[in-house]
Amino acid sequence: MNDAMRDRQGYVPGRMQDQEQAMGKVTGFLEIDRQVHKYQPASDRIRHFREFTLPMSDKEVEKQAARCMDCGVPYCHGPTGCPVHNQIPDWNDLVYAGDWDNAIRNLHSTNNFPEWTGRICPAPCEEACTLNLEDIPVAIKTIEQALADKAYELGYIRPYPAERKTGRKVAIIGSGPAGMAAAQQLGRSGHEVHVYERESRPGGLMRYGIPDFKIEKHHIDRRVVQMSGEGVTFFCGVNVGVDKPMAELLAEYDAVIYCGGSEVPRPAGIPGADLRGVHDAMPYLVQQNRRVGGEDIQSVAWPAQPILAGGKHVVVVGGGDTASDCIGTAFRQGAVRVTQLDIRPQPPEREDKLTVWPYWATKMRTSSSQAEGVEREFQVATLEFVGEDGVLAAVKCCEVDEKRKPIEGTEFFIRADLAFIAIGFAGALPEGVVAELGGTLKLDKDRRGSVNVAANERDYRTSVDKLFAAGDIRRGQSLVVWAIREGRQAARAVDEFLMGSSVLPS
């Protein structure tokens, strides 16, 4: 293993290799108040689709890093905190010391794409921070984003091609976070890597499903350029299982990793869902992302007529991140009013730390999109979409009890010209790869009822020879940071499968 590979894959030089070294500012958490980056005012940011966070200065970031405690067990980097096990106390200490170069190297040793997670990860690491016992966790997400952006400023994000080629060929289906992470790890190990993407540009649903105001797509494009320089080849506009048979792929390559994502909308079973004006969330988000990217709004996966919220009353059914993305997009398109319906009860403002910490807590959270003016209705069921002449006119709702059963006599109507169903995804697309492989590809149903490709977390191998699976296609709908972790681990499994052993991190 050459020095460049050791440096990239986690062998970080510097004093933090000495595990007895205390944090640089032991009393920092006592002396410095928590601060995170601020946003443009809502009245300004809803006028555009660009990112709206206001970056902090290097000195401000260094002060926030100084708040990281010398705690005995840093829960922030696992297993309850960061899925990729970022060495958060280590790079916080390096940032505090002004050693940005080594901090960046440390961060990249566990996370291929910190500029993505620094923007769109919900930060379970901060929930697990010891200081969160007092509701003042270290601003880990803000520091991570600053570190990642600094990496570009310092010229650290450049191609790191393998010095020697192995002669092995690997195909990856899907270029979302799992596929991209697997591709980069395997490319740096010397394998010839080809990534097949159904859409016209790489990035998967991170490009087409997450709005630009949360992550601008040049952050994906720069990584594509870097990975191309490392020898990874991208084939876009190729729908494997439709345009290119899966049998061909398995015959041409030594291994194939299926990273297709979880794309089937979870069925809502709401009467009137076939009315004009009622849509699943993803076609709406994909269309707008295509507009912003200068692409045709017609998509391989979601062909549809233009969906626009300008001048309309909008109802969003669902309480998660996808629902929030619909809200923010509707406001930017000029919606008159946006109402969000959540069947869950309104959570408490503050959780019971002693029964929840360091795990993710159920508490009242307000996303940046919700803060832009949405009307939130909790403990409300959507009974029916009501139409006039086949066009949506209102949404019939009612209050529900603790078991989510309708309470008689509480029915009410909300005016709606447009409604989005954003209640999650139910697994792999049944057509394409799954359809071609038929009964030879084993599928599993998880506790949420999603149908996923069966593969374990040890070797990521499916029931089909030479075929591996990683990301949401395997674990079900999840976070970008989990997809990156799965892609990295699947890459190691494939490397071991091809070479007998691997130096890639597990």
Side-chain angles (χ1 to χ4, degrees):
M1 181 170 60
N2 59 55
D3 289 340
M5 175 62 76
R6 294 172 69 91
D7 186 37
R8 286 195 300 271
Q9 303 300 349
Y11 292 80
V12 182
R15 57 196 168 86
M16 289 309 294
Q17 294 299 306
D18 178 4
Q19 297 300 311
E20 299 303 317
Q21 174 70 41
M23 300 302 292
K25 183 72 170 175
V26 178
T27 58
F29 71 99
L30 296 171
E31 301 170 18
I32 302 167
D33 292 334
R34 170 181 160 90
Q35 181 183 347
V36 297
H37 52 217
K38 294 181 172 57
Y39 296 152
Q40 290 179 355
S43 58
D44 293 338
R45 66 182 188 247
I46 63 171
R47 301 177 187 274
H48 62 79
F49 280 88
R50 300 184 303 276
E51 292 179 17
F52 50 79
T53 56
L54 305 175
M56 295 164 58
S57 69
D58 290 355
K59 288 300 179 185
E60 289 172 323
V61 174
E62 289 170 8
K63 284 180 64 177
Q64 289 306 303
R67 297 186 65 246
C68 192
M69 300 172 65
D70 193 15
C71 48
V73 179
Y75 289 96
C76 56
H77 63 72
T80 60
C82 180
V84 294
H85 303 306
N86 282 338
Q87 300 168 50
I88 294 164
D90 292 27
W91 46 254
N92 271 332
D93 184 64
L94 290 165
V95 169
Y96 162 68
D99 189 355
W100 290 79
D101 183 66
N102 272 329
I104 290 162
R105 293 174 185 273
N106 189 304
L107 177 55
H108 275 99
S109 73
T110 56
N111 186 352
N112 296 68
F113 314 117
E115 70 275 23
W116 302 355
T117 52
R119 283 169 166 81
I120 57 179
C121 183
C125 52
E126 293 192 17
E127 291 289 305
C129 177
T130 303
L131 282 173
N132 192 40
L133 286 166
E134 297 294 329
D135 289 316
I136 50 170
V138 175
I140 300 168
K141 182 176 176 178
T142 295
I143 299 167
E144 181 178 21
Q145 180 178 334
L147 253 180
D149 292 344
K150 190 74 171 179
Y152 282 100
E153 181 186 323
L154 297 177
Y156 185 75
I157 310 302
R158 58 185 187 274
Y160 293 95
E163 293 182 0
R164 291 182 295 274
K165 294 293 185 180
T166 64
R168 306 291 199 275
K169 290 176 62 178
V170 181
I172 296 175
I173 305 169
S175 63
M180 292 274 277
Q184 185 164 69
Q185 294 294 91
L186 290 168
R188 289 177 172 179
S189 297
H191 304 301
E192 184 178 347
V193 180
H194 293 175
V195 179
Y196 290 87
E197 170 55 47
R198 180 190 62 207
E199 298 289 348
S200 56
R201 296 178 186 175
L205 287 185
M206 194 173 66
R207 178 185 292 277
Y208 292 105
I210 299 177
D212 280 61
F213 56 79
K214 289 177 71 173
I215 179 168
E216 293 181 19
K217 302 312 182 280
H218 66 81
H219 296 295
I220 302 172
D221 296 334
R222 293 192 296 190
R223 288 294 184 176
V224 171
V225 170
Q226 180 195 33
M227 292 170 63
S228 297
E230 294 170 350
V232 176
T233 305
F234 291 87
F235 296 95
C236 293
V238 181
N239 192 357
V240 176
V242 178
D243 304 323
K244 185 176 181 65
M246 190 67 192
E248 278 186 24
L249 223 61
L250 291 167
E252 291 173 13
Y253 292 89
D254 299 298
V256 178
I257 309 179
Y258 188 16
C259 301
S262 180
E263 297 186 75
V264 176
R266 194 173 297 282
I270 302 172
D274 57 343
L275 290 170
R276 277 185 302 166
V278 181
H279 305 273
D280 286 317
M282 201 49 64
Y284 175 59
L285 297 174
V286 169
Q287 273 195 17
Q288 184 56 39
N289 283 346
R290 285 178 164 272
R291 286 191 192 95
V292 174
E295 297 185 61
D296 190 311
I297 65 168
Q298 295 296 312
S299 165
V300 175
W302 295 282
Q305 295 301 310
I307 310 169
L308 293 166
K312 295 180 179 178
H313 289 72
V314 178
V315 171
V316 180
V317 180
D321 289 338
T322 304
S324 244
D325 293 344
C326 289
I327 292 165
T329 300
F331 280 129
R332 282 159 180 77
Q333 289 183 348
V336 173
R337 177 186 181 190
V338 183
T339 305
Q340 182 179 16
L341 306 179
D342 195 332
I343 198 169
R344 299 169 299 182
Q346 182 170 336
E349 290 292 332
R350 192 174 188 272
E351 73 276 28
D352 182 352
K353 299 289 185 182
L354 297 183
T355 60
V356 178
W357 182 88
Y359 297 94
W360 185 263
T362 298
K363 62 182 177 182
M364 190 65 176
R365 302 174 192 269
T366 301
S367 71
S368 60
S369 291
Q370 290 168 332
E372 290 164 1
V374 71
E375 298 179 28
R376 302 171 72 177
E377 296 278 357
F378 288 98
Q379 213 161 344
V380 165
T382 306
L383 298 178
E384 182 184 0
F385 296 113
V386 180
E388 296 176 2
D389 299 323
V391 179
L392 177 69
V395 179
K396 183 179 180 181
C397 312
C398 75
E399 296 176 13
V400 297
D401 60 21
E402 298 80 14
K403 297 182 179 180
R404 302 187 179 183
K405 300 296 183 183
I407 299 174
E408 190 176 348
T410 63
E411 295 85 359
F412 61 97
F413 292 84
I414 299 174
R415 176 181 170 182
D417 308 303
L418 201 56
F420 299 112
I421 302 172
I423 58 173
F425 302 90
L429 287 173
E431 56 268 16
V433 174
V434 173
E436 183 183 339
L437 293 177
T440 59
L441 181 63
K442 184 181 177 184
L443 303 175
D444 275 342
K445 184 176 284 190
D446 64 21
R447 60 182 177 81
R448 294 179 293 182
S450 297
V451 179
N452 310 314
V453 174
N456 63 50
E457 284 185 287
R458 295 185 301 277
D459 59 21
Y460 289 84
R461 296 183 70 167
T462 71
S463 55
V464 176
D465 187 38
K466 297 200 299 183
L467 180 63
F468 298 73
D472 288 4
I473 198 97
R474 190 201 73 83
R475 67 178 288 114
Q477 177 188 346
S478 191
L479 305 176
V480 165
V481 68
W482 272 107
I484 293 172
R485 170 185 167 139
E486 295 234 333
R488 287 170 62 90
Q489 291 187 325
R492 178 184 171 90
V494 168
D495 196 33
E496 288 180 333
F497 169 72
L498 297 176
M499 308 302 293
S501 62
S502 178
V503 298
L504 291 174
S506 59

